[in-house]
Amino acid sequence: MNKNVKIASISLIAVIIGVILEQITINFFGSQGLSILNNPVLLNAILEIVIMVIPCFVVKKFSNEKFNLRLIGITFHGQMKNIFFGMVIGFANIMVLYLTLWRMKFMSFKGLGFEFYTGSEVIKSVFNVFLIAIFAGICEEIFFRGVLLNYLSKAKGNLLALIVSSVIFAIFHATRYHDFFMLASVFITAIVLGYSFIYTNSLCLGIGIHFAVDFFTNLVGFNEPNLFIINLSDKLNSYSADKIVICGQSIVLIFVFMLIFGLKKVRRGNEYEFKETR
């Protein structure tokens, strides 16, 4: 088996086993009354760390060189600005999405969370959203793009690697999104994040986009004490609203992403090509 395929395959299998063992361990200690495990933010952080650390160990074991961040798709030289650029793209995506839903009268702004909850509750909720988003943005990008996409593309080419890693990304989110329509939107988002890695040869842009989309999406709360509280129109039930938000988010993200890089294409006057990940 090709070494790069082996790294990707073993990483995937090891992560699946690791996640199963993590869930068994959490359930065991939970049954023993360990109250700290009732914290969803902590449980999410543990899961994300498992997803990140295991493939890093696999890469280290099978790499013929000393382990460094470049092996998992992280390069900082000239790339730090892409983290902030990605955050701008993610923020623009959410703003356009919710403004569109507002203009279509699918939702209305009810007020700030401080109007309905204590300041400490809102600040705690926003901080929790930040932690969840930052763990997801870093850990998931390292596994799905920095390891799976990165090493599969070296062996099988960018296109196949992009599709396979995006399918796996969607499958891993099946426990959160149970509808095929929603999972299709997750797959589309994964394509965009994967393309950002292939184009820049770094995870920085994808980390910025991933973090911003998760963070700014969850600042809007339906029932939680988040920063912004909104009302849904009677035209929607909560199920259809979820589908509209998730699908619309993916579509807008693609639009913004391609628009920005399309402008670069015009300025440069040449066509984009996928770069081989080295």
Side-chain angles (χ1 to χ4, degrees):
M1 180 185 292
N2 180 280
K3 184 186 77 172
N4 294 313
V5 174
K6 181 183 292 187
I7 290 175
S9 301
I10 294 177
S11 294
L12 177 59
I13 295 171
V15 165
I16 293 174
I17 294 173
V19 169
I20 293 173
L21 292 177
E22 180 260 350
Q23 290 298 315
I24 292 174
T25 303
I26 292 296
N27 291 337
F28 171 76
F29 283 110
S31 66
Q32 302 303 308
L34 192 59
S35 59
I36 191 173
L37 294 180
N38 294 327
N39 187 327
V41 177
L42 176 61
L43 294 179
N44 179 80
I46 293 173
L47 177 62
E48 298 289 3
I49 290 172
V50 168
I51 288 175
M52 176 186 69
V53 170
I54 290 177
C56 288
F57 275 112
V58 173
V59 171
K60 182 178 185 298
K61 178 176 177 58
F62 289 94
S63 176
N64 294 327
E65 54 185 299
K66 184 178 179 181
F67 181 83
N68 59 69
L69 293 178
R70 181 179 57 80
L71 293 175
I72 54 173
I74 299 179
T75 56
F76 292 112
H77 180 67
Q79 291 289 334
M80 286 303 295
K81 62 181 180 182
N82 282 335
I83 293 181
F84 300 101
F85 186 45
M87 291 172 63
V88 170
I89 294 175
F91 174 72
N93 166 53
I94 300 306
M95 286 299 296
V96 172
L97 173 62
Y98 281 113
L99 284 174
T100 300
L101 293 177
W102 173 71
R103 289 294 296 173
M104 296 175 66
K105 301 188 184 302
F106 285 145
M107 56 177 280
S108 60
F109 177 67
K110 184 177 180 181
L112 294 174
F114 293 103
E115 300 177 40
F116 305 95
Y117 305 92
T118 64
S120 60
E121 287 179 310
V122 176
I123 292 172
K124 179 182 178 181
S125 177
V126 172
F127 182 67
N128 287 342
V129 167
F130 173 82
L131 289 179
I132 291 173
I134 198 68
F135 272 103
I138 295 175
C139 299
E140 292 182 15
E141 287 307 303
I142 287 176
F143 173 46
F144 292 105
R145 259 63 69 176
V147 176
L148 291 185
L149 174 58
N150 186 13
Y151 285 92
L152 283 176
S153 66
K154 292 177 180 179
K156 301 297 182 180
N158 290 322
L159 182 58
L160 180 61
L162 183 61
I163 294 173
V164 171
S165 62
S166 298
V167 169
I168 295 172
F169 182 78
I171 292 174
F172 266 73
H173 286 76
T175 55
R176 185 180 307 170
Y177 306 117
H178 305 287
D179 183 78
F180 175 79
F181 189 89
M182 298 179 185
L183 290 177
S185 296
V186 174
F187 171 78
I188 294 172
T189 301
I191 291 290
V192 176
L193 292 170
Y195 180 79
S196 72
F197 173 72
I198 292 171
Y199 179 84
T200 63
N201 205 26
S202 172
L203 289 179
C204 291
L205 183 62
I207 288 174
I209 295 173
H210 198 147
F211 163 77
V213 168
D214 284 1
F215 179 65
F216 290 113
T217 297
N218 289 297
L219 283 185
V220 177
F222 297 96
N223 300 308
E224 298 182 62
N226 288 335
L227 186 59
F228 301 106
I229 309 298
I230 64 174
N231 280 333
L232 294 177
S233 167
D234 292 336
K235 301 176 184 178
L236 302 172
N237 55 46
S238 59
Y239 182 68
S240 61
D242 285 342
K243 290 197 289 189
I244 289 176
V245 169
I246 295 173
C247 184
Q249 175 178 309
S250 299
I251 294 172
V252 174
L253 182 58
I254 291 175
F255 171 75
V256 174
F257 190 86
M258 295 307 176
L259 175 63
I260 291 172
F261 282 96
L263 292 175
K264 286 189 175 184
K265 177 179 177 180
V266 172
R267 286 198 302 268
R268 293 176 182 177
N270 55 27
E271 296 182 353
Y272 283 118
E273 296 180 354
F274 280 137
K275 296 179 180 178
E276 241 184 76
T277 304
R278 300 292 183 186

